[in-house]
């Protein structure tokens, strides 16, 4: 079997799994899908253990290698994740609770409190219950017994990029 050099890799993490697509210089494209691992519930809301993400990616790459794809040359990686996922981490970027993936009205009361504050709405506009600002307030309230301080707040995508590059943006 001839080797296909993967010049581009695109990954999309969803609530059901990880889809990874590769493309070579001849525009040959192949996609594999790995079922979600680490899905869980946290205080009644959908969440997942992001520490399972490298295993999902590894499983996808192994499947693609078995189909003749080669990852030994430098290329481009694009990784997309649900936009309203949220990571709460400590100073060292260790995740303190499962990544929250609520796209619901669970934090509606917090959103209403934030929207009643003109300092907040003047700075960032109208807050929806699915937005990270509303969710973090509810999450910290629900997890008030946690001993380790929450020093970092970011999207799951930012956490994944940070793990790959050691550059932390949010």
């Amino acid at each position: 079997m001839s080797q296909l050099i993967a010049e581009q890799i695109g990954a999309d993490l969803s609530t059901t799994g990880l889809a990874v697509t590769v493309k070579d210089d001849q525009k040959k494209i192949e996609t594999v899908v790995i079922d979600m691992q680490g899905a869980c519930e946290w205080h009644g809301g959908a969440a997942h253990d992001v520490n399972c993400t490298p295993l999902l990616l590894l499983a996808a790459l192994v499947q693609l290698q078995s189909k003749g794809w080669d990852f030994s040359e430098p290329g481009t990686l694009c990784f997309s994740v649900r936009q309203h996922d949220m990571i709460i981490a400590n100073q060292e970027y260790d995740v303190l609770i499962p990544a929250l993936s609520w796209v619901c009205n669970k934090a509606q009361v917090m959103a209403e409190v934030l929207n009643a504050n003109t300092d907040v709405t003047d700075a960032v506009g109208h807050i929806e219950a699915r937005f990270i600002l509303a969710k973090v307030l509810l999450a910290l309230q629900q997890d008030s017994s946690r001993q380790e301080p929450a020093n970092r707040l970011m999207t799951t995508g930012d956490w994944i990029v940070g793990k790959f590059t050691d550059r932390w943006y949010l």
Side-chain angles (χ1 to χ4, degrees), residues 11-149:
D12 180 52
L13 184 64
S14 72
T15 56
T16 58
L18 176 71
V20 176
T21 299
V22 291
K23 183 169 91 172
D24 71 0
D25 65 346
Q26 302 299 308
K27 309 242 184 291
K28 178 172 174 47
I29 296 174
E30 188 146 6
T31 300
V32 297
V33 178
I34 307 297
D35 289 339
M36 173 55 78
Q37 296 173 26
C40 60
E41 195 173 283
W42 190 79
H43 290 279
H48 72 278
D49 179 356
V50 291
N51 293 306
C52 292
T53 305
L55 297 174
L56 293 170
L57 184 56
L58 179 60
L61 295 177
V62 166
Q63 247 187 57
L64 288 162
Q65 279 182 317
S66 74
K67 295 178 180 206
W69 288 91
D70 180 346
F71 301 100
S72 64
E73 299 293 323
T76 304
L77 171 66
C78 176
F79 208 110
S80 70
V81 183
R82 300 167 299 263
Q83 69 178 2
H84 299 295
D85 271 20
M86 179 183 75
I87 298 283
I88 297 176
N90 64 14
Q91 188 71 27
E92 292 77 33
Y93 299 96
D94 298 322
V95 177
L96 299 177
I97 66 172
L100 303 180
S101 53
W102 310 331
V103 181
C104 65
N105 293 324
K106 191 172 175 65
Q108 185 61 43
V109 171
M110 293 301 179
E112 290 169 6
V113 168
L114 290 165
N115 286 323
N117 183 332
T118 56
D119 289 337
V120 172
T121 56
D122 287 349
V124 297
H126 182 77
I127 301 293
E128 297 289 334
R130 69 183 185 273
F131 289 1
I132 288 176
L133 185 55
K135 290 194 306 190
V136 71
L137 294 176
L138 181 60
L140 291 173
Q141 182 182 61
Q142 290 176 323
D143 197 32
S144 61
S145 66
R146 183 182 24 77
Q147 299 299 310
E148 189 169 8

Side-chain angles (χ1 to χ4, degrees), residues 51 92-94 158-168:
N51 293 306
E92 292 77 33
Y93 299 96
D94 298 322
D158 289 325
W159 184 84
I160 291 169
V161 167
K163 285 294 189 178
F164 273 120
T165 66
D166 204 30
R167 292 183 183 168
W168 304 91

